[in-house]
Amino acid sequence: MADAKPRHPHRAHGREVALLALCHLESYRPEERPRALELFWAHAPAEAGEGGQELRGWLADAKVVEFARRLLAVSSDRAAEIDEAIEATSRSWRLARMDRVDRNVLRLVGAESLGLSETPRAVIVSEAVRLAARYGSERSAPFVNGVAQALAAKLRGEG
C-alpha cells in the first residue's frame, strides 16, 4: 500500500505536511502555536527525510500547501470536538496516552471527516493508515486503521 501512487498527490502530500505540522505544534504551548506554525511554513523540519528536502518540495507546491492549510484550519477550529470523538471511539486509549503520530493522524481523520465532505471515507482511512505506517511505530497502522474506520463513520453520521 505504501508504494501505491496516490491519485491526487497534492492531497496525499498535503496530509503529510499537515501531520508534520500537527506533530511540530505539540511541542509548543497553545499560545505559542500560531507563531510556531509560521516557523513551520518558513523552515521545513529536518526530520522530514533527506534533511527536509522532500518537505520543502511539497511546500513549494501551492495545491499541497492549500490542502494542508484546510486540514489544519479544521483541526484547529474543531479541536475539542475531534479530540472528544477520538477518545470516545478509541475507548481504551486516552488521547494523552496515544503515540504522538497516531494521535495526530487520527486528528487529521477527524478534520477531513468533518470539514472536507468531498473526500470518501475509504480514502480518508487508507490515507491515515499510510501515514501511520510511514511515520508511526510498527503498531501504528493497525491501531489507526481500527480507530479511523469507526471515527470517520461516527463523524460523518454513518454509524
Side-chain angles (χ1 to χ4, degrees), residues 29-118:
R29 292 188 303 260
E31 65 275 10
E32 298 172 332
R33 289 180 183 160
R35 177 70 180 130
L37 190 55
E38 288 175 29
L39 291 171
F40 175 86
W41 293 121
H43 306 285
E47 69 267 12
E50 304 291 322
Q53 201 170 345
E54 183 177 48
L55 178 58
R56 280 191 293 279
W58 296 340
L59 292 173
D61 184 329
K63 285 183 171 184
V64 170
V65 171
E66 189 256 329
F67 189 69
R69 285 183 185 272
R70 283 177 66 196
L71 288 170
L72 290 169
V74 175
S75 87
S76 174
D77 294 346
R78 299 181 78 176
E81 178 183 3
I82 292 168
D83 285 356
E84 184 179 300
I86 293 169
E87 284 205 343
T89 305
S90 65
R91 286 181 239 141
S92 59
W93 283 94
R94 287 187 17 251
L95 212 54
R97 290 192 58 227
M98 290 179 193
D99 178 78
R100 178 174 66 149
V101 169
D102 300 353
R103 175 175 53 243
N104 285 302
V105 167
L106 292 172
R107 285 176 171 151
L108 288 177
V109 168
E112 197 160 2
S113 296
L114 288 170
L116 286 84
S117 61
E118 73 273 11

Side-chain angles (χ1 to χ4, degrees), residues 124-147:
I124 293 171
V125 172
S126 69
E127 282 291 293
V129 172
R130 181 184 67 81
L131 291 172
R134 178 167 183 182
Y135 293 101
S137 71
E138 63 187 36
R139 294 183 304 252
S140 292
F143 172 74
V144 165
N145 184 47
V147 177

